[in-house]
Amino acid sequence: MSGQGNVGVPIKLLFEAEGMKVTVEMKNGEIYRGLLLSAEETMNMNLSDVIRTGRTGKISKIPNVYLRGSGIRFIALPELLKNAPVFQKVTAMKRKQEEFQKQTKQQAVGKRKRGAE
């Protein structure tokens, strides 16, 4: 796994997918499916045992490929990552934020009621 300093959730999720099969669609229309060996914060990645589908539909096998992150349209990750720890952290943060907003709203309503009396 590459360094995870101050990276966002999508990049952390990509790091979690290392060692799993992924499908990557490039901006030029090519599709690569293979084992994610490594990923970088820039979304550059190394895949092995790759099946490449060209824009014309031609399929070829490639032992290893390095994909540049700036050329990627999207990445399909395994379903298994739905339970990734990074999502649990995001869910917990969202709950805290919703509770804080609810408390702030209740306080504002309470102040208005007291002011009306």
Side-chain angles (χ1 to χ4, degrees):
M1 187 182 292
S2 302
Q4 285 193 27
N6 267 344
V7 297
V9 172
I11 301 301
K12 287 181 182 179
L13 194 59
L14 184 61
F15 291 151
E16 290 278 338
E18 289 179 347
M20 299 180 186
K21 286 271 188 188
V22 297
T23 302
V24 182
E25 183 175 324
M26 305 301 289
K27 290 179 182 175
N28 66 7
E30 296 175 343
I31 299 173
Y32 295 84
R33 177 159 174 76
L35 184 68
L36 180 61
L37 296 179
S38 65
E40 301 171 13
E41 291 179 11
T42 56
M43 290 189 7
N44 296 341
M45 61 185 72
N46 282 307
L47 301 178
S48 68
D49 300 322
V50 180
I51 296 175
R52 176 189 170 272
T53 306
R55 288 181 286 189
T56 61
K58 182 181 177 195
I59 296 175
S60 54
K61 284 192 171 191
I62 307 171
N64 290 298
V65 69
Y66 182 81
L67 301 175
R68 184 176 165 110
S70 64
I72 294 173
R73 177 171 291 138
F74 74 85
I75 305 166
L77 301 173
E79 290 280 323
L80 176 69
L81 290 175
K82 282 184 180 178
N83 302 321
V86 70
F87 280 137
Q88 293 170 358
K89 290 177 187 174
V90 170
T91 303
M93 285 174 28
K94 188 174 179 182
R95 273 193 215 117
K96 283 182 184 178
Q97 185 180 19
E98 287 171 351
E99 286 175 21
F100 176 76
Q101 288 174 344
K102 189 176 180 180
Q103 288 174 353
T104 305
K105 199 174 194 180
Q106 287 174 346
Q107 289 173 353
V109 169
K111 286 181 183 178
R112 277 189 248 140
K113 283 184 180 177
R114 279 186 246 128
E117 295 174 358

